[in-house]
Amino acid sequence: MKVLHVAAECYPLLKTGGLADVVGALPAAQRQLGLDARIVLPGFPAIRAGLQDARVQASMPPRLGSGPLTLWQGNLPDGVPAYVIDAPGLYDRVGNPYADAEHHPYTDNHRRFALLGWVAARMAQGLLPDWRPDVLHGHDWHAGLAAAYLKQTPPTPDMADAACVFTIHNLAYQGLFPASLFAELGLPAHCYAMDGMEFHGQLSFIKAGLYYSDRLATVSPSYAAEIQTAEHGCGLEGLLRHRRAALSGILNGVDETLWNPATDPTLPGHFDAEKTGGKARCKTALQAELGLAAEPTGLLFCVVSRLTEQKGLNLVLAGAEALLAQGGQLAVLGSGEPELEAGFSELLGRYPGRVAVRLGFDEPLSHRLFAGSDVVLLPSRFEPCGLTQMYGMRYGALPLARRTGGLADSVRDCSLENLQDGSATGMLFERFEQADFGAAVRRAFALYAKPQAWREVRRHAMQQHFGWVGPAKAYQALYRAALKQAA
């Protein structure tokens, strides 16, 4: 089975969030199962620079204002074949792939990501003479038009139509554009309709993916149920309920070779679930690196996240003084909403030695934070899957998380019954309210005050496996269903 993943970013070439981790790991896991999985990506500078053994595969006339248009093929560092759309007029911009230096989305994003979908559809229609995918697998709104373009072109008599699978990584990001831009996309007029990509008088790229794809997936079973409700459906709950028979929830995995504290080259000490001495060394080194007081027995909390209200960082900021008053330390790595960045920076100024803040993102530092911290904070308003809690558990940083989406599916609360049967892996709280977050923090201190119980929970958390083999097999089954439906 030949599978073409369609995405805007891919680790290690370009990463702004968890989407890149998934796209960078899932195809490799699928290839180990015998699938011929490949990726097509926009030609952002970092992606072009990271493509290995690159060679031209096709040249095409300008499309969607692209100017000269070339499709390159090469490999990711792990050997997965990747195609890169070289369209300098649309993609050759320094910095963030989606927005300018002032964080304003590029005004031509509709054409930039329509081109990604259009090229993917062309590949499914036989653009390359030596390789044609059986399945187009689009990821998030950036790839939403791949299925729309494909479904508007009938297959040739000698070539069956490819099946389309679409994964929702975060329904809150929908790719919305003014309806006046529809004519630029080159789609038939009937696509701009309620039964199509029209959404409250706008264009919705994610709705196009949801409407035109044969099968839908999202990144955890709980989130699959949540997005069919008004609270989490972002206005698309009606369509998702209508398509619920085609919707699956498949929990993401993590690359357990990359995220392994026993071998991680970024760490000053190595450890595993049974031999944890290296974690103490990592904590001492992290406190020194971040300018925190050297307190080997203190409880060190970390945040590795986009700094947004959706991630619940307003709860962390408002609850920080109570956390520090109980003897904790707080280390923050991330960037995002200016108010939160300013709030954490101000907190650092008031509590030097107790608080550390690094604005921006630093991949090696994120590994050291998980290895050196005791607790990773994930108080999200909603969380489709989340990978941070999985990284934390791998590295012995217990998740303190809200019971929502993938957090609910992957973290077991340290309730009395879970402590009794040895299944606890972290702290969960229910409501997105300050009091509930504060109570969970106090429970973390209470558990930490019982060293034997803490070690048992940490050991069990580190023994959890979140590899990609299970999700890869689940997607393989989904592809078979999509192919059967598309036939």
Side-chain angles (χ1 to χ4, degrees):
M1 189 187 301
K2 302 181 184 71
V3 180
L4 182 65
H5 292 270
V6 189
E9 54 188 83
C10 175
Y11 180 84
L13 306 188
L14 176 66
K15 174 178 174 177
T16 67
L19 170 65
D21 289 325
V22 174
V23 176
L26 177 57
Q30 292 176 326
R31 291 179 71 84
Q32 292 178 358
L33 295 179
L35 279 68
D36 185 357
R38 306 185 183 189
I39 309 170
V40 62
L41 300 158
F44 300 129
I47 290 176
R48 292 201 325 270
L51 190 68
Q52 298 181 354
D53 304 318
R55 56 198 180 277
V56 173
Q57 282 293 292
S59 295
M60 293 164 278
R63 181 81 179 189
L64 294 156
S66 67
L69 184 57
T70 306
L71 185 68
W72 292 76
Q73 181 181 356
N75 297 300
L76 301 183
D78 62 3
V80 172
Y83 300 90
V84 171
I85 305 165
D86 189 12
L90 293 178
Y91 299 141
D92 195 4
R93 299 172 191 179
V94 176
N96 188 289
Y98 312 115
D100 61 23
E102 283 73 44
H103 306 291
H104 298 134
Y106 292 117
T107 57
D108 58 353
N109 272 350
H110 62 295
R111 290 188 288 110
R112 300 171 80 222
F113 295 106
L115 183 65
L116 173 64
W118 181 80
V119 171
R122 288 288 314 279
M123 294 176 71
Q125 293 162 344
L127 173 65
L128 304 179
D130 58 345
W131 193 82
R132 174 184 171 272
D134 303 303
V135 177
L136 279 187
H137 185 163
H139 295 269
D140 257 357
W141 73 263
H142 322 97
L145 292 197
Y149 283 121
L150 183 62
K151 298 298 184 181
Q152 305 317 308
T153 305
T156 61
D158 62 337
M159 187 179 296
D161 217 347
C164 292
V165 170
F166 185 74
T167 294
I168 308 156
H169 293 263
N170 191 334
L171 192 61
Y173 299 99
Q174 300 190 353
L176 298 177
F177 300 98
S180 59
L181 301 176
F182 177 75
E184 298 183 26
L185 303 180
L187 285 164
H190 64 79
C191 290
Y192 183 68
M194 184 176 70
D195 291 335
M197 63 181 300
E198 184 273 336
F199 182 71
H200 297 289
Q202 301 179 86
L203 309 177
S204 172
F205 277 40
I206 203 166
K207 187 183 176 189
L210 298 177
Y211 184 81
Y212 290 106
S213 296
D214 300 296
R215 291 283 169 164
L216 309 175
T218 192
V219 291
S220 72
S222 288
Y223 192 59
E226 290 173 353
I227 59 177
Q228 297 179 55
T229 69
E231 181 180 1
H232 295 289
C234 301
L236 292 166
E237 60 273 9
L239 174 58
L240 289 161
R241 285 196 299 269
H242 177 71
R243 299 219 60 198
R244 60 184 175 273
L247 175 62
S248 300
I250 300 174
L251 191 67
N252 280 338
V254 300
D255 186 335
E256 293 186 322
T257 59
L258 179 66
W259 293 92
N260 184 353
T263 58
D264 191 331
T266 69
L267 304 185
H270 291 137
F271 56 96
D272 59 27
E274 304 301 331
K275 299 178 181 178
T276 59
K279 184 167 177 66
R281 292 194 293 275
C282 289
K283 184 174 184 176
T284 298
L286 181 67
Q287 288 172 327
E289 177 182 0
L290 298 179
L292 295 170
E295 296 180 359
T297 61
L299 194 55
L300 175 54
F301 296 78
C302 77
V303 169
V304 180
S305 175
R306 294 193 308 275
L307 303 184
T308 66
E309 190 269 348
Q310 180 245 310
K311 294 292 186 180
L313 277 305
N314 54 319
L315 298 182
V316 176
L317 188 58
E321 290 194 354
L323 182 155
L324 299 172
Q326 294 172 78
Q329 294 179 326
L330 177 63
V332 178
L333 172 64
S335 61
E337 295 170 5
E339 297 82 2
L340 287 169
E341 290 189 358
F344 282 113
S345 296
E346 191 271 338
L347 187 70
L348 169 63
R350 289 193 289 121
Y351 294 98
R354 311 298 305 167
V355 174
V357 177
R358 296 289 187 272
L359 297 179
F361 191 71
D362 182 329
E363 183 78 16
L365 177 57
S366 73
H367 287 236
R368 295 194 295 276
L369 279 163
F370 293 128
S373 297
D374 301 298
V375 178
V376 56
L377 297 172
L378 300 117
S380 301
R381 179 178 291 277
F382 64 92
E383 192 62 66
C385 175
L387 299 177
T388 302
Q389 77 277 17
M390 301 180 190
Y391 299 148
M393 284 187 273
R394 291 279 291 168
Y395 284 62
L398 301 187
L400 188 156
R402 182 162 176 257
R403 194 189 300 273
T404 184
L407 299 173
D409 291 333
S410 56
V411 181
R412 294 294 299 275
D413 182 58
C414 60
S415 61
L416 289 177
E417 61 271 24
N418 291 342
L419 289 171
Q420 179 67 31
D421 66 19
S423 63
T425 59
M427 286 68 64
L428 292 173
F429 66 98
E430 297 290 339
R431 299 175 302 171
F432 189 79
E433 295 185 7
Q434 198 66 49
D436 288 43
F437 171 74
V441 170
R442 292 195 300 275
R443 288 201 296 130
F445 279 102
L447 182 63
Y448 195 64
K450 300 177 180 179
Q452 181 61 33
W454 180 273
R455 287 192 294 268
E456 285 300 312
V457 174
R458 184 178 65 186
R459 181 177 64 83
H460 186 66
M462 294 182 69
Q463 289 174 335
Q464 301 303 297
H465 288 288
F466 298 104
W468 274 106
V469 173
K473 289 180 178 178
Y475 272 114
Q476 187 174 20
L478 195 64
Y479 297 158
R480 292 194 186 103
L483 285 165
K484 183 177 180 180
Q485 181 172 331

